[in-house]
Amino acid sequence: MLNKGLRDEEKIRIDNVLKTLRTLIFVPYPLNDSDKTALENQLKEFALNLETLIDYSNEDLIKLLMRLHFDWEQLEQFGDFLIEFSKTENYNFESKALAVYQYIQTESKVFSFGINAKIASLKNK
């Protein structure tokens, strides 16, 4: 377990990487090579790349994110990133996002209408 100071630093680092990832894919057109390289570099911060993200099972991805000390909000943001990235590129990470959202809903012990709406939306696709 991390002490409070390290936990705060880790939270800030994760938040910054997530913010950058969301910024990179929040464009209305497919990513160019430099954008993909930037995305890969950000994913490296989470010990991921596009290939491992594709290859990881839903459970393994969640275990990795929990080992990296993601909190519930950060897990939700990562799920949101997976959804947006699936829209931008020819990847389908919706099942991974659904697994992340379901994990949050189950393990956080707090019911979230927002998470529940995201789960319902993904199940209706």
Side-chain angles (χ1 to χ4, degrees), residues 19-30:
K19 194 180 304 178
T20 303
L21 283 172
R22 297 287 308 270
T23 303
L24 287 170
I25 60 158
F26 209 68
V27 291
Y29 50 85

Side-chain angles (χ1 to χ4, degrees), residues 105-116:
Q105 197 74 316
T106 303
E107 297 299 319
S108 71
K109 310 280 192 264
V110 176
F111 183 82
S112 166
F113 287 105
I115 297 286
N116 198 50

Side-chain angles (χ1 to χ4, degrees), residues 3-83:
N3 68 36
K4 181 163 176 29
L6 289 176
R7 200 171 44 237
D8 290 345
E9 287 177 23
E10 188 68 2
K11 180 175 178 14
I12 291 168
R13 185 186 74 77
I14 292 169
D15 286 341
N16 287 336
V17 173
L18 287 169
K19 194 180 304 178
T20 303
L21 283 172
R22 297 287 308 270
T23 303
L24 287 170
I25 60 158
F26 209 68
V27 291
Y29 50 85
L31 300 174
N32 61 36
D33 289 339
S34 66
D35 290 337
K36 284 184 183 177
T37 301
L39 184 99
E40 288 269 357
N41 288 336
Q42 291 302 310
L43 287 173
K44 283 180 189 174
E45 292 290 324
F46 300 144
L48 290 168
N49 60 39
L50 286 176
E51 187 175 318
T52 57
L53 191 56
I54 292 166
D55 292 342
Y56 268 23
S57 70
N58 296 347
E59 295 78 21
D60 288 341
L61 178 61
I62 291 169
K63 286 178 190 175
L64 171 69
L65 298 176
M66 294 312 296
R67 270 196 321 267
L68 293 171
H69 307 287
F70 274 53
D71 63 22
W72 305 123
E73 183 180 327
Q74 292 165 334
L75 282 172
E76 181 179 1
Q77 289 175 21
F78 192 78
D80 295 346
F81 157 74
L82 292 173
I83 296 296

